[in-house]
Amino acid sequence: MTKVDVLGVKFDRQTMAEFMTTFTTRIAKHQGTFVVTANPEIVMFARKNPAFAQLLADKADFITADGIGVVRGAAMLNTPLPERVTGYDLMINLLEYAEEQQLKIALVGAKASVNQQAAEKVKTNYPHIKIVYTHDGYFDLSDTSVQQDLIASQPDMVFAALGFPKQEQFLAAIQPALPAAYLMGVGGSFDVLSGTVKRAPKLFQQLHLEWFYRLLKQPSRIGRMAELPRFLQAVKQQAKKGQS
């Protein structure tokens, strides 16, 4: 089984190392790849929004488990995923590959200052990467000028930090015009990459408590965190249906 269905979202059963082998092989072959890094919030949003669920099903080539909640949910369904594969870690690994191959990338999303700082960090840490396009996340999807300018820059990779569902909708819109590109939504990863937001300490990461660390730093996230227990409850219900 290569796909694991968690509340209607089909996750790919691969480790980080396996994903990297898959993605770098496809990039080297100029084979277009649209990756969604999905956490419980995205899964729950897809359940309530059929159009978004259809976008994931029809457009995404791969969906990774970006969150320990998804990994636990899959285990509860007796269809375990090997490990959590976060968008940030995947992005860093891909930037290292892009550095080796001297690829062209585009960074779309976050505040203008954060986007600029993230681009500067890439230039410093990965001097052989060519940043061919940058834009902050403050634009409406109906404004196609951002899409057109990005497409004209012909990047090998596009990282969109627009938050869901906007980043997935944006990437799906440009996908047909960039058939050889690697496209991935990365949520708040530019904040961490730029140094604007600190990532959870290693201990929190190892204990799968990054969500708790973020909550301590940003109490306003409490509303978003409430989706996790609802997600786990929905998984329990799915598991009961499967057993019956």
Side-chain angles (χ1 to χ4, degrees):
M1 184 187 298
T2 58
K3 299 277 187 180
V4 172
D5 188 317
V6 179
L7 300 180
V9 175
K10 295 184 178 180
F11 290 84
D12 289 272
R13 182 179 272 169
Q14 294 190 46
T15 64
M16 174 67 81
E18 290 168 339
F19 272 123
M20 282 303 297
T21 297
T22 299
F23 296 157
T24 55
T25 298
R26 291 171 66 96
I27 293 167
K29 293 180 178 179
H30 304 289
Q31 186 175 358
T33 307
F34 178 14
V35 178
V36 173
T37 58
N39 59 17
E41 282 184 273
I42 289 180
V43 174
M44 295 301 282
F45 185 82
R47 289 191 88 206
K48 301 170 190 172
N49 295 269
F52 184 65
Q54 199 64 50
L55 183 154
L56 298 184
D58 294 345
K59 301 295 185 179
D61 296 299
F62 298 90
I63 300 180
T64 79
D66 187 354
I68 193 61
V70 172
V71 176
R72 288 177 177 167
M76 290 164 62
L77 295 168
N78 294 316
T79 53
L81 290 162
E83 64 181 1
R84 180 182 64 153
V85 179
T86 72
Y88 180 78
D89 291 327
L90 196 51
M91 181 182 70
I92 294 301
N93 287 339
L94 286 161
L95 287 174
E96 291 172 357
Y97 173 76
E99 168 72 2
E100 294 171 2
Q101 302 299 317
Q102 300 185 27
L103 300 182
K104 299 178 294 181
I105 73 167
L107 303 175
V108 181
K111 296 178 180 178
S113 60
V114 172
N115 185 287
Q116 183 179 357
Q117 290 170 44
E120 290 300 324
K121 189 62 68 76
V122 171
K123 291 176 183 176
T124 300
N125 294 348
Y126 312 100
H128 295 104
I129 287 178
K130 303 177 184 70
I131 301 178
V132 294
Y133 185 78
T134 63
H135 199 286
D136 63 58
Y138 292 83
F139 63 91
D140 194 276
L141 289 177
S142 61
D143 177 8
T144 58
S145 63
V146 176
Q147 297 177 20
Q148 293 168 358
D149 291 345
L150 188 155
I151 290 166
S153 72
Q154 289 294 295
D156 300 304
M157 293 182 180
V158 179
F159 297 109
L162 299 166
F164 73 89
K166 185 177 179 179
Q167 61 192 18
E168 286 76 27
Q169 294 166 344
F170 176 78
L171 293 173
I174 65 173
Q175 186 182 27
L178 292 172
Y182 178 95
L183 314 173
M184 186 170 79
V186 295
S189 293
F190 289 1
D191 293 315
V192 180
L193 178 62
S194 67
T196 306
V197 173
K198 284 188 176 182
R199 195 176 185 189
K202 285 291 184 182
L203 179 61
F204 281 81
Q205 294 179 42
Q206 292 165 356
L207 294 174
H208 304 301
L209 290 173
E210 284 183 275
W211 62 271
F212 183 62
Y213 179 82
R214 289 198 298 271
L215 183 58
L216 290 175
K217 294 293 184 180
Q218 297 174 284
S220 61
R221 293 175 62 93
I222 187 67
R224 294 178 59 183
M225 294 300 177
E227 278 296 285
L228 182 56
R230 287 194 281 266
F231 166 81
L232 293 174
Q233 182 59 36
V235 170
K236 287 180 182 178
Q237 293 174 353
Q238 181 178 328
K240 286 181 180 178
K241 288 180 182 179
Q243 290 170 357
S244 62

